[in-house]
Amino acid sequence: MGGTGTVVAVSSSGEHSFGKPNRESIRLLAGLGVEGDAHAGRTVKHRYRVAKDPTQPNLRQVHLIHEELFAEVGEAGFTVKPGELGENITTRGLDLLGLPTGTLLRIGAEAVVEVTGLRNPCSQIDGFQRGLLKRVVGRDEDGNVVRRAGVMGVVRTGGTVRPGDAIGVELPDGPHRPLQMV
């Protein structure tokens, strides 16, 4: 096992809106994503990706963001609450960005989400709060792009997820591959 965390909030929206309202619970559906969410499905749902190739598998069924990011951007004067950056699950106590590709997150009593990669934040973030995009995407000392707006995953085992649920981390076997943009 690779540690544990906690679900802070859950959010979903049937519209292709930027933010998602918080819910008392969300239901994850195996192979699809969040029940009733605009991004649920076996094939890509993100408008840009659908336009390129609507038959691609949906590696972005569930979006998770670490609540700690909100505190970091808060120090720079931004106020961000759970769901406002479009995530489905807001976490606490997990280094989401440091997880390797293929990590299994066991959430609540039943749900299992496999981490597929990093969210690529888009300019809509600046539409939400001007200047915020620079805080969630940057460059490291070597000039490599660093994406900090959470991770994406696919639902391996369905189940209901609620705030307060524990998140267990199961790292994949073999050599670990760092997360890439999906």
Side-chain angles (χ1 to χ4, degrees), residues 5 25 31 101 127 146 158 170:
S25 67
T101 303
V146 177
E170 188 176 321

Side-chain angles (χ1 to χ4, degrees), residues 16 31 40 46 53 118 120 149 153:
H16 278 277
H46 190 277
D53 179 1
L118 297 169
N120 187 31

Side-chain angles (χ1 to χ4, degrees), residues 14-159:
E15 318 251 317
H16 278 277
S17 55
F18 181 68
K20 296 179 189 275
N22 295 156
R23 309 286 183 192
E24 288 182 20
S25 67
I26 56 174
R27 184 161 166 67
L28 302 185
L29 304 174
L32 295 173
V34 179
E35 184 176 52
D37 194 80
H39 292 99
R42 294 186 192 285
T43 56
V44 290
K45 298 301 172 198
H46 190 277
R47 290 175 177 160
Y48 171 77
R49 291 165 193 278
V50 168
K52 284 178 75 175
D53 179 1
T55 66
Q56 290 177 321
N58 186 5
L59 301 178
R60 301 163 51 97
Q61 295 173 2
V62 182
H63 176 202
L64 300 96
I65 284 187
H66 50 297
E67 180 188 54
E68 292 83 355
L69 176 66
F70 303 158
E72 288 176 37
V73 299
E75 291 173 13
F78 296 95
T79 302
V80 182
K81 297 183 184 98
E84 290 185 334
L85 294 183
E87 77 275 13
N88 300 113
I89 300 174
T90 310
T91 69
R92 179 184 300 132
L94 284 181
D95 177 14
L96 291 176
L97 304 178
L99 296 173
T101 303
T103 297
L104 298 180
L105 300 176
R106 298 187 179 280
I107 308 171
E110 305 168 309
V112 179
V113 172
E114 179 182 339
V115 178
T116 55
L118 297 169
R119 175 191 185 190
N120 187 31
C122 66
S123 59
Q124 284 186 312
I125 289 179
D126 270 351
F128 169 62
Q129 288 184 40
R130 192 163 197 71
L132 183 57
L133 184 61
K134 285 184 193 164
R135 298 290 170 180
V136 297
V137 178
R139 295 201 178 268
D140 64 15
E141 308 78 47
D142 299 326
N144 300 310
V145 175
V146 177
R147 294 171 180 86
R148 301 175 49 229
V151 300
M152 308 305 286
V154 295
V155 181
R156 291 294 176 220
T157 305

